[in-house]
Every structure is written in C-alpha cells, then in structure tokens.
Amino acid sequence: MKVLRIILTITIFLCMGLSGSAQKTILLSKGRVHVGNGKVINQGLVGIKGDKIILVDNALTHNLDKSAWDTIIDLKGLDVYPGFFAPNSKLGLTEIDAVRATRDFNEVGAYNPHVRSLTAFNVESDIIGTVKTNGVFYSQATPEGGVISGSSSVMSLNGWNWEDAVLKKDDGIHLNWPSTVSGGWSTPKKSSEDYSSQLKEIRAFFEAALSYSSSKDLYDPRFEAMRALFNGEKRLYIHADQMRALLDIIDFQRDLKIKYPVIIGGYDSHKVADQLNSSNIPVIIKGGHTLPENEDDPVDFPYRLPFLLKEAGVLFCIQNSGRMETMNSRNIPFLAGTAMAYGLTEEEAITAISLSTAKILGVDKIVGSIEEGKIATLFVNKGTPLDMRTNNLIFGIINGEFVDLSNVQTKLYDKYKKKYEDQK
C-alpha cells in the first residue's frame, strides 16, 4: 500500500502541472467507478480534460488509444467516487462557535431574505480541510436565525476566494417554519399556542412579496430577493419537522405559487410521503446519528428514515445539522453508511450524498455524478468512504484540479509521529 501511495503521489505531482491547461488530458484507468446514479463500472475509464469529464466507459469494451492521453493513472484495485455534498451547512461561515467574531451566519432581524451567505464564505477555513479529507467537496453555505434567515449558495471547497469557490449563487431562501408543538424531553409536549399567529404573519409577508413580484415600479431589497422564488429561479428551503407543519407547508407553497419548495429536516416526512410526492417536494433529512424526537419513537428511527423515504419514492438527501455541525460535516459519508446499515444499498447511500443532493439543490446538470460533460469532481479511495474503518482517500480532484487532502489534524499527526519515531 505504501508503494502504491508513493507511485500515485509522484504521478499526481506531475499531473498538477498539467491540470492548469485546458488542453491536457488525464485518464483514470481500471478503477471501480461508482457513478453516483446507482450504476457501478467495475473496470472503468474516466477521462478528464480541463475541468470536464470527457469519457466514462468500461475498460473491457472500450477501444483505448493510449496516445490520446497526456497522463494515464492506473487505479486497479481502487474505487472512484463523485465528490460528496454537505447541504444546509455553516461550513465556511463559522470557525470557532465559542468566538463570536468567527460566526458569520446569523444576522439581526426576523425577515432577512436579502442577506447573502455567499460573500461571508471563508475558503481559508481550517475546518474545510478536515472535511475534504473524507471526500466532501461541495457545501451549501446556509445562514441561520430569524424567520427568514437569508439566501444560501452552493460552494466548491476549493478556491482562492468565494468568487472562485461559488458553484451556484443564491440558490434559495431559507424559511424557519414555526413549531407546531411546545415542550420536549423534560416537559410534556403540547400544541403550540403561538403557531397560528406565527403562520399568519409568515403568510402575510409572502403575500406581500408575491404582490411585489408583479410590480416594476417599486424597490424593496427584501422583496426583491424573494422575486426569484415565484419565477422558479430560486428554491424555498423550509425548515420543518412535524407532520402538521409539513401538511400546512404543502398548502402554503401551492397557495403562494412557490415553484421549487424543499423541506429541510422532515422528521415526520415518511407520514406524508404521498402528499410530498404529489407536490414534488424533496426532503433534506437530518442524518441518523441522533436521538429520536419523541419519547415513544423507536430508538433506531432516525437511522431508518432514509430507507422509509426511499421505499415511499420521495426524493431525499442527507445533511448533518445540529450540535457541532460544522466540524462534523466530515462525517456525512458515515451518516450515509449508517443509512446503508438500515436498509439502503451501497449505491443508494452514495446517491443520497451526491447526485440526489445535486438534484435538490438544482446543480445536477453539472455536478453530482461521474458522467460525461459534468465538472470533474471526484476522489479515489482504498476501501469504502462510507465506513470510517476502511475510508482511505488516495487523491481528490475538484473542478478538474488535484487538491491537497492534508489538514491541520493530519499535519499534527505526522509531526508527532515523526518526533516519537526519531526518539526510538
């Protein structure tokens, strides 16, 4: 294995000199390619030119002309995966949660659709390096707080600044739906007395925004940011969990003519799967490494939710919002691995953090899977990235460029490993 790493490292250094030119071509040969759409090519060929994938085929049937490629990397015995996503994430928007100056995801005020996470995204975050090490190469930089938090953007985790890193600007606006219940583990749950009045306030704001969207004579920065919700250029991400809230959201998006609504959270989404399907509403569910929301729920329910939605035909993907979510973005592949242990196949689990996420975020035409014409973002692994015991990235490519997979943690490990080896 060490010899393999040395050979590939030398090859990659040579390729890094080539990847800056769009005219150079690289062929990844005979690796097991997990396309991201459920298909697997056991001895695959993946050709890259500039930042695009120009060839995906089976090495056993493809008539390969080696002279057509500037560099060929032999990946026999290794696996190739599409870059994974971290949707609904504060990655790049915060560094140390305990230090207010590094938290740039929550603005003052309740209704902030015009606030953009895009320009706050920090490509120099040390946390980003730890996430890339596990194959997470894209994130959805998402604001929090208030009733309407602001606009998220889909970002590549590689670039000199946010202009380099952005994949899709202002992909959607985030609405925090009021909870239908009050109470929790320490106190009995009951229906929220404020739910109806809160919902009435939200509806009034959206009705005003809808009326504004048909006018050209007025200017309001908040309503201007929402104009794209009604013409389909932006998605509306609605953070909600309870069944009553989900049913109300279905009525809400229909009445307000929201073209692309998305549920984030969706704890009870399996209970209203038919309604979600009929309204074409996908769900970004919280990963399974968490406790059930209700005392009488099965303890393994969060682990089984992906399988329940898959069986019901609901389009879903996996995210990891919650306590210490930024640093734990690196665990998204392992959340998919847990879903695999509770019903999903390996390829379905991979799709849940790659192509399905890209579809829900509206970028599946350019990223999310290893297919011809898409941006070359992928990684090569020894073992499966869904299991922390075997996950072992050999190298990664983002937007056609080989990327450094080391981080502050791996550098410290190497530093002190060498120190104590030298003392022997």
Side-chain angles (χ1 to χ4, degrees), residues 59-73:
L60 298 178
T61 58
H62 185 81
N63 186 17
L64 179 62
D65 178 9
K66 293 185 178 181
S67 65
W69 302 94
D70 295 300
T71 303
I72 298 177
I73 304 177

Side-chain angles (χ1 to χ4, degrees), residues 9-25:
T9 300
I10 294 172
T11 306
I12 290 166
F13 273 118
L14 293 173
C15 291
M16 290 178 77
L18 298 175
S19 59
S21 171
Q23 303 303 314
K24 301 299 182 178
T25 55

Side-chain angles (χ1 to χ4, degrees), residues 128-129 142 173 178 217 245 253 262 282 285 302 331 356-357 370 381 403:
I128 286 177
T142 303
I173 289 174
D217 300 326
Q253 61 87 25
V262 178
I285 61 173
N331 292 329
S356 289
T357 312
I370 302 174
N381 207 72
V403 294

Side-chain angles (χ1 to χ4, degrees), residues 250-389:
I250 292 171
D251 293 337
F252 176 85
Q253 61 87 25
R254 182 185 60 244
D255 296 344
L256 274 298
K257 299 180 175 59
I258 306 297
K259 293 186 180 297
Y260 294 111
V262 178
I263 301 295
I264 294 183
Y267 184 82
D268 287 337
S269 55
H270 65 295
K271 298 178 181 178
V272 293
D274 291 341
Q275 294 92 326
L276 292 173
N277 281 330
S278 62
S279 299
N280 294 316
I281 301 178
V283 184
I284 302 177
I285 61 173
K286 187 175 180 180
H289 296 179
T290 184
L291 292 172
E293 293 290 330
N294 306 309
E295 291 184 359
D296 55 351
D297 286 342
V299 69
D300 64 349
F301 171 73
Y303 306 152
R304 293 191 289 111
L305 182 56
F307 176 72
L308 295 175
L309 292 180
K310 190 270 294 187
E311 289 291 282
V314 176
L315 176 61
F316 74 94
C317 69
I318 294 174
Q319 50 105 5
N320 73 312
S321 63
R323 191 167 177 264
M324 297 191 296
E325 71 175 61
T326 308
M327 61 176 287
N328 284 329
S329 297
R330 63 187 177 189
N331 292 329
I332 284 178
F334 308 142
L335 299 180
T338 299
M340 176 182 166
Y342 281 81
L344 297 186
T345 67
E346 180 179 9
E347 299 311 314
E348 288 169 344
I350 291 168
T351 300
I353 54 175
S354 57
L355 186 58
S356 289
T357 312
K359 286 181 179 179
I360 292 172
L361 302 184
V363 293
D364 57 300
K365 300 297 183 184
I366 54 175
V367 293
S369 58
I370 302 174
E371 298 181 86
E372 291 183 23
K374 290 193 175 183
I375 294 174
T377 297
L378 50 87
F379 63 90
V380 174
N381 207 72
K382 178 67 175 178
T384 174
L386 306 187
D387 188 336
M388 64 180 68
R389 297 170 301 178

Side-chain angles (χ1 to χ4, degrees), residues 29-81:
S29 176
K30 297 184 180 179
R32 187 166 183 257
V33 180
H34 303 260
V35 177
N37 59 6
K39 298 179 180 179
V40 178
I41 306 174
N42 285 320
Q43 292 197 49
L45 298 173
V46 179
I48 300 171
K49 183 177 182 180
D51 65 347
K52 291 292 193 297
I53 297 172
I54 61 171
L55 171 69
V56 179
D57 205 351
N58 193 318
L60 298 178
T61 58
H62 185 81
N63 186 17
L64 179 62
D65 178 9
K66 293 185 178 181
S67 65
W69 302 94
D70 295 300
T71 303
I72 298 177
I73 304 177
D74 187 356
L75 300 180
K76 190 173 182 180
L78 300 175
D79 289 68
V80 186
Y81 296 87

